[in-house]
Amino acid sequence: MSGTKYEVVDTHCHLDFKNFNKDRDEVIKRALGAGVTTMINSGIDLKTNRKSLELARKYDFVFATLGLNPNGLSETTDEDVEATLDQIRSHAKEIVGVGEAGLDYYRCPDQKGRDRQREVFRKVVGLAKELDLPQVIHARLAEDEAFDMVKDLNKVVFHCYSGTVGTMREAVDRGFYISLATVVCKSAQHQVLARQVPLDLLLIETDSPFLSPKKGRNEPAYVLESLNLIAKIKDLPPEEVAKATTANAKRIFNL
């Protein structure tokens, strides 16, 4: 993939995950070569938050968000939750957002587990508000409920948005950002969303190593695949979508 003549931001990736242990530097070089000038690495718990901070300290084009993903909460003690919130608070000056955090009902069918997700997410939302940092939301089969819990915040990013057009419209009416992942390359539902999201509130991301537009592992360089497809869907030049999504990322994450 040859480099582009415009800047692109991958607003959500997990370069710290073990999937990249063998070739992390090469993956980062490929991203830079493809025109990805900035990568935001998202922590999901105490351990990955630590690794996200390390990556952001090592590379001046990698920024960290620190979070508490809903999916691991069944194995997470209340002490772990408090320790993670303390960790986020103590590194607030080094990060560009709080999250990912939110509600994932896809993997959690039972009421007790969902209640715990809501209780923890409420605490994270309170922290994002206290720190005046963007709240990066992970929501799956719970987008409307997550929206209800954050609608008093000023800075919100719906990471890898997969909800309805209706909830998305409510979110953008509040000035919240909608981030579409590379899954848009394979999913008709996400292509409908891509057509509807206003350009001034659109972000793009890979969520790598997940949701690859190709076979196998995803990586930040592939964000160009979704950029080009979204441009086609919106009937705009790729440069215009790159320029807008990059400006949006700089604005919301204060890059």
Side-chain angles (χ1 to χ4, degrees):
M1 198 184 295
S2 64
T4 64
K5 55 188 176 296
Y6 36 81
E7 288 180 75
V8 180
V9 180
D10 181 357
T11 60
H12 197 107
C13 56
H14 301 282
L15 290 165
D16 58 290
F17 279 21
K18 65 178 187 293
N19 315 58
F20 296 112
N21 282 355
K22 287 184 179 150
D23 62 346
R24 191 169 285 110
D25 284 335
E26 288 85 348
V27 166
I28 289 169
K29 276 187 195 128
R30 269 198 296 277
L32 295 171
V36 182
T37 55
T38 304
M39 292 154 245
I40 297 178
N41 204 81
S42 188
I44 61 168
D45 54 23
L46 267 172
K47 188 177 159 193
T48 59
N49 286 347
R50 253 195 312 272
K51 289 181 175 174
S52 296
L53 285 168
E54 283 164 20
L55 278 168
R57 287 169 190 152
K58 184 175 178 184
Y59 300 101
D60 59 3
F61 47 82
V62 175
F63 295 86
T65 66
L66 304 187
L68 187 51
N69 190 292
N71 287 321
L73 289 178
S74 51
E75 296 88 53
T76 309
T77 64
D78 289 344
E79 289 75 27
D80 287 340
V81 168
E82 291 309 320
T84 309
L85 295 172
D86 286 344
Q87 178 193 41
I88 297 169
R89 191 179 280 110
S90 65
H91 292 286
K93 297 244 185 308
E94 283 183 80
I95 63 177
V96 297
V98 174
E100 58 186 278
L103 307 171
D104 194 321
Y105 292 172
Y106 178 78
R107 293 208 180 136
C108 180
D110 68 289
Q111 200 52 51
K112 192 180 169 197
R114 291 181 176 191
D115 287 344
R116 176 145 166 81
Q117 286 189 13
R118 280 193 290 270
E119 174 203 341
V120 171
F121 186 41
R122 219 168 267 120
K123 290 180 177 179
V124 178
V125 170
L127 183 58
K129 193 171 188 176
E130 174 198 321
L131 300 175
D132 193 29
L133 284 167
Q135 173 68 68
V136 178
I137 296 177
H138 169 113
R140 206 166 174 203
L141 299 187
E143 287 82 2
D144 49 349
E145 210 170 314
F147 171 71
D148 268 345
M149 291 175 72
V150 299
K151 60 184 179 200
D152 293 335
L153 297 181
N154 296 319
K155 303 172 188 173
V156 173
V157 173
F158 268 95
H159 134 69
C160 191
Y161 185 80
S162 299
T164 63
V165 170
T167 301
M168 183 204 80
R169 287 211 174 111
E170 284 188 77
V172 299
D173 282 349
R174 283 287 294 111
F176 296 165
Y177 289 79
I178 302 293
S179 186
L180 296 180
T182 33
V183 69
V184 72
C185 298
K186 291 181 170 178
S187 157
Q189 179 208 353
H190 288 84
Q191 289 166 18
V192 169
L193 291 167
R195 190 170 293 113
Q196 306 272 350
V197 182
L199 195 57
D200 64 336
L201 289 168
L202 172 66
L203 300 170
I204 52 175
E205 61 167 281
T206 57
D207 200 19
S208 48
F210 314 112
L211 307 179
S212 182
K214 308 168 188 278
K215 275 203 172 80
R217 180 190 71 177
N218 202 0
E219 58 178 78
Y222 298 169
V223 79
L224 272 298
E225 308 270 332
S226 56
L227 171 83
N228 290 326
L229 179 63
I230 291 167
K232 205 168 162 185
I233 289 168
K234 286 189 167 298
D235 197 19
L236 294 168
E239 295 90 316
E240 198 176 321
V241 177
K243 194 176 169 186
T245 53
T246 298
N248 295 343
K250 288 179 174 177
R251 190 185 313 119
I252 183 63
F253 291 114
N254 196 25
L255 301 175

